[in-house]
Structure formats: C-alpha cells, structure tokens
Amino acid sequence: MILKHRYEPVELKIMRSLNVRMNLAAKDENYYLNLEKGYEGERKFDEWIKSFSDDYLVLNDLLLEYNNTLFQIDSLMISSNKISLFEVKNYEGDFFIEADRWYSISKTEIKNPLLQLQRNESLFRRLLQELGFAFPIEAYLIFVNPEFQLYQTPLNLPIIFPSQLNRLMDKIKKKPSRLKDVHSKLAKQLLSLHLKEPPYNRLPEYHFDQLEKGIACPLCHRFYHHLTKTTLLCTSCGGSEEYPVAVLRNVEEFKLLYPNGKITINHIYKWCSLIKDKRTIRKVLSNHFKLIRQGKSSHYVKND
Ligand SMILES: [Zn+2]
C-alpha cells in the first residue's frame, strides 16, 4: 500500500521552466538534466514497488532529520519482518569500482553512492531507536537503468541491478508480511516527521525581463509557435492544448517562479506572449480566479 506518493519536485519544475526560458550555464544545465533523470528513475522504481500487496507499507520520498542532519530516503517499505530502504539511481553507461572508489569508464571519479546509502541507513537507524521502535533494517542501492554497467563489483555489496529486481521482490515476499498496529503507528509517525522540500539553493539567478516569454508544451517542453482560434499547436511533438488550459498552466508556472509575483492581466499577457488578444487572458483569469480590486495594482488570487 502506497502511503506516501512521490510528486514532481518543485525544484525540478522550476529548473525545467528556466531551461526553456533562458540559456542555462553548463553546470546549471547539467544539474537540471540530473534532476530530470533522477526523477525519471524514481518513477520507474515506483512502478516496481507498486506491485507489492497491501501487506507492505510504502513511503516515497521522505525528508527526515536526525541530530540536525537532513537525509532523504527515495523509498521506504515497512513489512512485518523488516524495514527496507531504497536508494534509487538512474545512472547510464559504463562504470567501475576500484579500491572502494567509483569511476566512470573515462576514469573520472564519481561520488560513491554506497556512502550515501550507508549514511542514510545509519541516520535512519538512530532515528528509529529514538522513536522507540526496534525493527531490522536493510538498505539497497537500486540501479534502474538497463543501460548501466558496473564492472568489478564485489559480490557482497547491497546493490541491485535491473535484471535482479524480480528476484529481490521474490526474496522480500518469501517471508509473508503480517502487519500489526505497531507498523501503521510507525508509518504515521514517519509521515508526521517528513519535512517540506529543502530550500533550493542551487537555482541560478533569474529576472522576469530576461526570461523568454511564451507558453511551453507540457509534453516536450518546447515553446508553442502556432495557434488556431481556440487551440495551441506544438510543431515539435504534435501536441495541442486549448487556450484556457494552457494559460492556467502558464499562470501556475509564473507563480512557481515568482511566488510573490502578482497575477495581473498585464503580467500574464506578457508571460504568455503568444496569445495576442488581452481579452482571452482576462477571460481565463476572471473565470478561474478572484479579482482583488486595488486600482492600478488590481490583481487576481486563487478562489477560496
Ligand atoms: Zn510538444
């Protein structure tokens, strides 16, 4: 049973929007692509974990704190026998391990993901103790991308490759899980300890005037360039959207990038750019938001 679902991280949404609307520096673009890839990998893993029965409680994407240290768990599964922690990686390409260090095939050293797994496990173990629960814990590093190859992997590492996921499921299910109240109590407690997303300190600087205006297609994240009387058409992927849906999405994006920005007809008209008739914008805003009349600084807010 999935008790906590995974949502698209706000930071990823912001970076995706910035990637469409400005030229990201190489390091920022890299960071953005990694976020995109990481999320894609986690979604793949969610498909796998979804097929466990209701005798397993799943909490995705937990941000916890122990001893003033934040740690994030990609997926956590409670069964009556143990708690499993999963760290999910969507690495692609060839890598190798040499003397506990991890390298890409071009011999560039990368962060050893096992260290992160061990750190998380240790912090979680101590948190669990503090909460007064005594369950065995096991932690796995899961690679979900079939295009990933790790050479010279010692046999005793808690690593699961894509071809081993089915067997891991069989292994976990081998001992039937019979949940009791104490397990839902623990799940509830962990949910209550989950923290909101951490501050996004990796965001590049951006200003309204510098960002490219327009409406991006939600399927391929490229700007729409064509429109009919009622519909926006994407020449890149063939997708299409009716005006109100697209404008509302763009308002959401505006609020994401400018949490303190005011939703005014002028702002949104500029922001959407492609729609040349201000009345269209006015209509969509009036239909979906409440107008706060304040003379020149009149603006719209969400309906209660
Ligand atoms: Zn498209």
Side-chain angles (χ1 to χ4, degrees):
M1 191 193 305
I2 313 281
L3 289 185
K4 182 177 179 297
H5 288 271
R6 187 186 314 281
Y7 297 101
E8 207 166 43
V10 175
E11 189 183 27
L12 169 59
K13 289 191 201 170
I14 295 179
M15 286 302 287
R16 186 186 290 144
S17 167
L18 292 179
N19 182 52
V20 177
R21 297 180 183 274
M22 66 190 267
N23 278 326
L24 293 178
K27 70 166 177 34
D28 293 330
E29 191 181 358
N30 217 7
Y31 181 61
Y32 157 63
L33 292 174
N34 278 333
L35 287 179
E36 200 76 86
K37 199 149 200 196
Y39 182 61
E40 183 196 304
E42 288 161 4
R43 293 273 305 272
K44 229 184 246 178
F45 179 75
D46 292 347
E47 284 301 308
W48 176 79
I49 209 165
K50 219 168 66 180
S51 48
F52 279 90
S53 69
D54 285 354
D55 299 319
Y56 299 83
L57 305 176
V58 176
L59 303 166
N60 288 317
D61 203 11
L62 277 179
L63 182 64
L64 300 168
E65 188 180 3
Y66 178 79
N67 212 3
N68 294 321
T69 311
L70 286 177
F71 62 105
Q72 198 207 340
I73 295 172
D74 288 340
S75 268
L76 177 149
M77 190 162 78
I78 303 173
S79 74
S80 60
N81 313 307
K82 64 191 162 211
I83 298 176
S84 313
L85 307 181
F86 302 103
E87 175 68 36
V88 181
K89 296 288 180 207
N90 193 11
Y91 292 2
E92 197 177 321
D94 296 319
F95 295 80
F96 64 93
I97 301 180
E98 204 171 77
D100 282 345
R101 291 175 193 269
W102 289 51
Y103 300 91
S104 70
I105 207 72
S106 58
K107 240 211 139 186
T108 314
E109 188 173 350
I110 62 160
K111 241 196 208 166
N112 178 347
L114 283 172
L115 296 180
Q116 189 189 351
L117 184 78
Q118 284 156 7
R119 172 186 177 271
N120 280 357
E121 185 185 348
S122 155
L123 288 162
F124 182 75
R125 192 180 301 281
R126 286 183 281 164
L127 176 68
L128 204 64
Q129 242 167 35
E130 195 181 78
L131 297 175
F133 294 93
F135 295 119
I137 300 172
E138 58 182 18
Y140 293 103
L141 180 59
I142 310 272
F143 290 100
V144 287
N145 196 321
E147 301 300 320
F148 171 73
Q149 182 70 47
L150 186 63
Y151 295 96
Q152 294 165 211
T153 319
L155 281 176
N156 56 349
L157 297 180
I159 292 179
I160 302 292
F161 296 109
S163 57
Q164 297 175 311
L165 273 168
N166 285 339
R167 271 172 288 157
L168 176 63
M169 187 174 287
D170 292 345
K171 187 185 145 200
I172 294 175
K173 285 181 175 171
K174 211 167 168 187
K175 254 194 177 177
S177 170
R178 295 194 176 84
L179 294 174
K180 297 194 181 116
D181 284 350
V182 64
H183 300 105
S184 12
K185 199 176 145 204
L186 168 64
K188 264 189 204 149
Q189 219 162 341
L190 290 175
L191 278 174
S192 74
L193 290 174
H194 168 67
L195 302 165
K196 287 247 159 72
E197 287 192 68
Y200 326 117
N201 40 21
R202 292 282 310 262
L203 292 181
E205 220 180 284
Y206 56 93
H207 302 285
F208 187 81
D209 291 337
Q210 292 167 343
L211 295 183
E212 203 172 321
K213 313 301 187 294
I215 304 177
C217 162
L219 302 176
C220 68
H221 311 306
R222 293 197 177 102
F223 277 129
Y224 285 117
H225 293 291
H226 289 278
L227 67 179
T228 68
K229 251 187 173 166
T230 56
T231 313
L232 295 152
L233 304 170
C234 177
T235 40
S236 305
C237 77
S240 67
E241 237 179 339
E242 297 204 346
Y243 286 176
V245 181
V247 171
L248 284 176
R249 223 170 26 76
N250 231 26
V251 173
E252 284 302 315
E253 195 184 325
F254 174 80
K255 282 304 282 177
L256 202 63
L257 264 60
Y258 301 98
N260 301 319
K262 288 232 180 329
I263 305 175
T264 66
I265 292 174
N266 273 336
H267 274 154
I268 300 306
Y269 175 67
K270 255 193 215 163
W271 186 239
C272 291
S273 145
L274 187 64
I275 294 175
K276 297 297 175 213
D277 192 344
K278 244 187 206 179
R279 284 172 302 182
T280 306
I281 306 289
R282 183 191 302 276
K283 202 170 150 196
V284 175
L285 291 182
S286 329
N287 282 345
H288 294 89
F289 294 87
K290 195 165 80 184
L291 177 64
I292 306 290
R293 288 181 194 280
Q294 281 174 352
K296 271 194 174 166
S297 52
S298 290
H299 61 278
Y300 291 86
V301 293
K302 277 203 169 138
N303 280 321
D304 304 322

